[in-house]
Amino acid sequence: MAEETAPHLPQSIDEMITFLEAQDYLAGRGLATVIFLALKMKRPLFLEGEAGVGKTEIAKALSKGLNRPLIRLQCYEGLDVSSAVYEWNYPAQMLDIRLSEAAGLEDRDRLEANLYSERHLIRRPVLQALGHAGEAAPVFLIDELDRADEAFEAYLLEVLSDFQVTIPELGTIKAAEPPIVIITTNRTREIHDALKRRCLYHWVDYPNAAQELAILTRKVPGAAEALSRQVVSYVQKLRTVDLFKNPGVAETIDWATALTELDRIALDPETISDTLGTLLKYQDDIARIRGGEGERILSEVKAELLAAG
């Protein structure tokens, strides 16, 4: 079966907004502008913001809408080159050595060339993204870079500036076409300026009430309209409370989905108490909202929505 031709890139900011909407991603003009520029300028896009605001979903929307493969590097503490970029297939190399010895091969240069060849190279996400052989370059998501160590962050400088990696035994491998690079961070630590300079930057904030309601309408179409409005208003107010971890858009969607599965058409104190675990992820936050704070917020939500008609 022939590979489907990848769609053309959006040619304007308005086209980018429409393109993202077609993938069920509602972006403000500022975000759509920086995505458009990153694609036009072939520069990595560095997205910073709280967890759950939709940074990762941008890479998924681009991959789906452009019909390009998504290659994801999930960062974590201790991530190194062998896990992220490449490593050698040592068992296969050892087998080659044994076979060469059995065949009486004594040419060390020839043996070394065989050992460190492409067939023994295991490509990890970075090398997969740079060496992709498809019709169009992939979308390369470097997710939660702030979880990785600074040493790995420094290693990425060559990748992001020249779209290449250097393998001592093989030389430099450079991308024929730069991948679409999306880097996300939840800002648990600062990322070095040297890396940021290689990227276009955007802070992805929580959506306002109108934007979040539009997102919820798309993502949870089965939710009652009145319930969706109450959920959005409640979550918006929660984010003004001094919580350990504010709920993101992903949690808003989860909560509305859970309430819909329970056939709820409106919020009430008991339902909120029973389902807070889908919205908040820390016991101290849950305990606080289950008390008088949660009832106060619900009262304000109902009063404001009633006044608004």
Side-chain angles (χ1 to χ4, degrees), residues 39 122 141 154 158 160 171 181 184 190 207 221 238 241 250 257 299 301 303 309:
L39 297 183
I122 300 175
L141 170 62
E158 180 186 13
L160 299 178
V181 181
T184 76
E190 287 294 330
L238 268 186
V241 178
T257 302
S299 297
V301 166

Side-chain angles (χ1 to χ4, degrees), residues 4 38 64 82 122 278:
E4 187 179 345
K64 181 182 176 183
S82 64
I122 300 175
T278 62

Side-chain angles (χ1 to χ4, degrees), residues 14-34:
D14 289 334
E15 278 189 28
M16 177 58 71
I17 293 172
T18 303
F19 166 86
L20 292 171
E21 284 183 359
Q23 314 312 316
D24 282 337
Y25 193 96
L26 303 183
R29 193 168 187 84
L31 177 56
T33 299
V34 75

Side-chain angles (χ1 to χ4, degrees), residues 81-101:
V81 171
S82 64
S83 299
V85 188
Y86 76 95
E87 65 177 328
W88 294 106
N89 189 338
Y90 293 116
Q93 287 176 321
M94 291 301 298
L95 180 59
D96 262 14
I97 291 173
R98 297 290 182 264
L99 292 174
S100 297
E101 290 174 346

Side-chain angles (χ1 to χ4, degrees), residues 234-241 243 246-247 279-280 289 297:
Y234 195 94
V235 172
Q236 291 276 324
K237 287 185 177 297
L238 268 186
R239 293 185 186 130
T240 66
V241 178
L243 297 175
N246 285 331
L279 185 63
L280 302 174
I289 299 305
I297 293 174

Side-chain angles (χ1 to χ4, degrees), residues 6 30 51 60 74 91 99 106 116 122 128 154 159 162 182 191 198:
K60 293 180 180 179
Q74 181 62 54
L99 292 174
E106 296 181 357
Y116 294 103
I122 300 175
Q128 290 172 14
V159 176
D162 300 319
I182 306 294
I191 302 300
R198 287 160 169 78

Side-chain angles (χ1 to χ4, degrees), residues 26-298:
L26 303 183
R29 193 168 187 84
L31 177 56
T33 299
V34 75
I35 296 173
F36 171 75
L37 291 174
L39 297 183
K40 276 291 187 182
M41 298 167 65
K42 297 187 178 181
R43 294 279 298 278
L45 177 56
F46 188 95
L47 300 173
E48 198 166 35
E50 299 293 338
V53 294
K55 303 183 296 296
T56 300
E57 292 301 315
I58 292 171
K60 293 180 180 179
L62 289 173
S63 171
K64 181 182 176 183
L66 296 173
N67 192 33
R68 299 191 184 200
L70 175 64
I71 298 175
R72 180 172 181 169
L73 175 62
Q74 181 62 54
C75 298
Y76 56 86
E77 186 177 353
L79 180 66
D80 58 11
V81 171
S82 64
S83 299
V85 188
Y86 76 95
E87 65 177 328
W88 294 106
N89 189 338
Y90 293 116
Q93 287 176 321
M94 291 301 298
L95 180 59
D96 262 14
I97 291 173
R98 297 290 182 264
L99 292 174
S100 297
E101 290 174 346
L105 180 64
E106 296 181 357
D107 187 338
R108 295 182 62 86
D109 290 339
R110 180 181 171 189
L111 176 58
E112 185 174 343
N114 287 336
L115 291 179
Y116 294 103
S117 61
E118 284 279 352
R119 67 192 185 93
H120 286 145
L121 185 67
I122 300 175
R123 294 172 177 265
R124 300 304 187 196
V126 172
L127 204 54
Q128 290 172 14
L130 297 182
H132 183 72
E135 180 182 341
V139 176
F140 182 32
L141 170 62
I142 303 175
D143 210 13
E144 297 182 321
L145 179 59
D146 50 324
R147 294 182 179 273
D149 301 324
E150 291 185 9
F152 179 72
E153 180 186 326
Y155 181 87
L156 287 177
L157 296 180
E158 180 186 13
V159 176
L160 299 178
S161 60
D162 300 319
F163 296 103
Q164 66 182 32
V165 295
T166 301
I167 301 175
E169 299 85 356
L170 288 180
T172 299
I173 297 178
K174 186 177 180 66
E177 179 186 352
I180 297 171
V181 181
I182 306 294
I183 303 171
T184 76
T185 170
N186 296 333
R187 209 177 187 182
T188 59
R189 70 171 178 85
E190 287 294 330
I191 302 300
H192 199 279
D193 286 345
L195 188 142
K196 287 186 174 181
R197 283 198 303 269
R198 287 160 169 78
C199 309
L200 301 187
Y201 174 88
H202 190 80
W203 173 266
V204 183
D205 208 347
Y206 294 115
N208 60 36
Q211 292 170 331
E212 194 158 20
L213 182 59
I215 293 169
L216 204 58
T217 300
R218 281 177 175 257
K219 296 294 186 179
V220 195
E225 182 181 353
L227 176 66
S228 295
R229 291 184 180 279
Q230 288 183 356
V231 163
V232 168
S233 183
Y234 195 94
V235 172
Q236 291 276 324
K237 287 185 177 297
L238 268 186
R239 293 185 186 130
T240 66
V241 178
D242 186 20
L243 297 175
F244 183 78
K245 172 65 178 69
N246 285 331
V249 179
E251 284 74 34
T252 305
I253 294 169
D254 284 346
W255 195 33
T257 302
L259 293 169
T260 302
E261 290 293 332
L262 294 173
D263 295 324
R264 299 297 191 268
I265 59 173
L267 292 178
D268 61 76
E270 183 179 0
T271 298
I272 291 173
S273 178
D274 290 343
T275 59
L276 271 178
T278 62
L279 185 63
L280 302 174
K281 308 302 179 182
Y282 289 90
Q283 177 55 32
D284 289 348
D285 290 343
I286 292 174
R288 177 175 181 179
I289 299 305
R290 274 183 177 153
E293 188 81 4
E295 293 186 12
R296 178 190 65 79
I297 293 174
L298 180 59

